[in-house]
Amino acid sequence: MKIPADFDAEIWSVVAEIPAGRVATYGQLARLIGMPGHARRAGRALAMAPEGLPCHRVVNSQGRTAPGWTGQRELLAAEGVRFRANGCVDLSASGWEEIG
């Protein structure tokens, strides 16, 4: 499946909809734009995201935060996102159930 030219913009649009206190996964973002199986490509889109986008609200499928981004956990915790004892986001408590 060819990656559409507007892939990044579509990912950014979905990320802008994630409410404070909730997280989405890279795979979830890819599925929401009709590109299942492109979680890594969604991550690359976020690496190039415009400033001000709440990229901190995106984690991997196990709830792990981005490697090397030490402030991500603090940003999420300040919004009330719950973490498990292992340091991963508690996706069952803080995962985003998108509407629509």
Side-chain angles (χ1 to χ4, degrees):
M1 185 182 297
K2 188 174 191 276
I3 301 293
D6 60 350
F7 184 94
D8 293 356
E10 287 189 50
I11 291 291
W12 300 339
S13 177
V14 173
V15 171
E17 299 298 319
I18 305 169
R22 296 287 177 204
V23 298
T25 67
Y26 298 103
Q28 182 180 7
L29 297 178
R31 279 191 313 276
L32 286 170
I33 68 162
M35 297 293 294
H38 287 83
R40 287 179 188 242
R41 182 61 183 83
R44 283 204 332 240
L46 293 184
M48 300 179 292
E51 193 163 332
L53 200 66
C55 296
H56 65 283
R57 297 181 185 146
V58 183
V59 297
N60 79 7
S61 61
Q62 286 78 46
R64 284 191 217 115
T65 56
W69 186 4
T70 56
Q72 184 179 13
R73 182 186 169 109
E74 288 134 25
L75 289 168
L76 292 172
E79 292 183 356
V81 170
R82 293 182 41 198
F83 287 83
R84 296 183 183 275
N86 67 1
C88 293
V89 169
D90 183 343
L91 293 172
S92 63
S94 297
W96 179 44
E97 295 297 326
E98 66 281 350
I99 299 171

